[in-house]
């Protein structure tokens, strides 16, 4: 009886040791989880390089101009944050009349963007339609090739039968 308990004890310690070794292996070797969500970069859709860029807002139109004057007045200030802060303060202090030319320029850029997007979408849709038609043509050709080859095989079989 003591021998049976000794065998059970050694068997249980062996399984415990195996489980501990397996656990150490799993901790030391990082395995990729197949159900893992894709990273932000992987999930992000690829952008079309031909797609028009979005237009600037009125603030950014103002920022372009302000940056030039600020650097001329303050040549020692190299920080981007300092320029941004000064521009933001000035933009907030400006009245609607002072902002009007920048708003108008931004609106003009927006209409140009809208026109170019319409043209881009038409071009993209036309390309997709052409691609689909090419796919359907290739499918039809594949079907014809399959049908034609069967008929040729049947004709060859008939010719062999006629020769005999």
């Amino acid at each position: 009886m003591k021998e049976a308990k000794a065998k059970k004890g050694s068997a249980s310690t062996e399984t415990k040791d195996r489980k501990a070794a397996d656990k150490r292996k799993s901790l030391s070797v990082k395995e990729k989880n197949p159900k893992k969500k894709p990273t932000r970069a992987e999930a992000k859709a690829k952008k079309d390089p031909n797609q028009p860029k979005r237009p600037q807002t009125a603030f950014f139109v103002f920022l372009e101009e302000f940056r030039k004057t600020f650097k001329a007045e303050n040549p020692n200030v190299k920080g981007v944050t300092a320029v941004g802060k000064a521009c933001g303060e000035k933009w907030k202090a400006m009245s609607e009349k002072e902002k009007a030319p920048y708003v108008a320029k931004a609106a003009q850029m927006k209409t140009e963007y809208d026109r170019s997007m319409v043209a881009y979408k038409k071009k993209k849709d036309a390309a997709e339609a052409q691609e689909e038609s090419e796919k359907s043509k290739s499918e039809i050709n594949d079907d014809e090739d399959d049908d034609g080859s069967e008929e040729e095989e049947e004709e060859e079989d008939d010719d062999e039968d006629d020769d005999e």
Side-chain angles (χ1 to χ4, degrees):
M1 189 147 191
K2 288 183 180 179
E3 290 175 11
K5 284 185 178 179
K7 286 182 183 178
K8 281 187 178 179
S10 65
S12 66
T13 55
E14 286 177 10
T15 56
K16 286 180 183 178
D17 291 341
R18 258 190 273 135
K19 286 181 181 179
D22 290 342
K23 191 172 186 179
R24 273 185 255 124
K25 282 183 185 178
S26 67
L27 291 175
S28 64
V29 178
K30 290 186 177 180
E31 296 179 19
K32 290 188 175 180
N33 187 354
K35 294 181 181 179
K36 184 180 176 185
K37 291 182 180 179
T39 61
R40 188 178 263 177
E42 293 170 349
K44 192 173 185 180
K46 293 183 180 178
K47 291 185 178 181
D48 186 0
N50 299 327
Q51 184 175 357
K53 290 187 178 181
R54 295 184 68 179
Q56 292 180 341
T57 63
F59 175 75
F60 281 100
V61 173
F62 170 71
L63 180 62
E64 266 183 45
E65 189 178 299
F66 180 80
R67 192 177 287 133
K68 294 174 189 171
T69 59
F70 185 81
K71 284 188 177 183
E73 293 171 4
N74 306 309
N76 296 335
V77 178
K78 303 280 183 185
V80 177
T81 56
V83 177
K85 284 181 181 180
C87 182
E89 289 171 5
K90 184 161 184 171
W91 181 257
K92 286 179 184 177
M94 289 173 69
S95 67
E96 292 298 319
K97 286 183 181 179
E98 293 172 322
K99 291 180 183 180
Y102 305 109
V103 173
K105 191 171 182 181
Q108 179 187 1
M109 293 171 85
K110 173 92 169 109
T111 56
E112 289 174 13
Y113 168 76
D114 290 339
R115 274 192 243 119
S116 61
M117 269 309 277
V118 168
Y120 168 76
K121 286 181 181 179
K122 283 182 182 176
K123 189 175 180 181
K124 187 176 177 182
D125 290 342
E128 287 177 358
Q130 183 179 7
E131 188 177 300
E132 286 180 19
S133 66
E134 288 177 6
K135 283 183 182 179
S136 63
K137 285 180 185 176
S138 66
E139 289 173 358
I140 292 171
N141 290 339
D142 290 345
D143 291 342
E144 288 176 359
D145 291 344
D146 291 343
D147 294 339
S149 62
E150 290 174 4
E151 290 175 7
E152 289 174 6
E153 289 175 9
E154 289 175 6
E155 288 177 10
E156 289 176 8
D157 290 341
D158 291 342
D159 290 342
E160 289 175 6
D161 291 339
D162 292 340
D163 290 341
E164 293 175 8

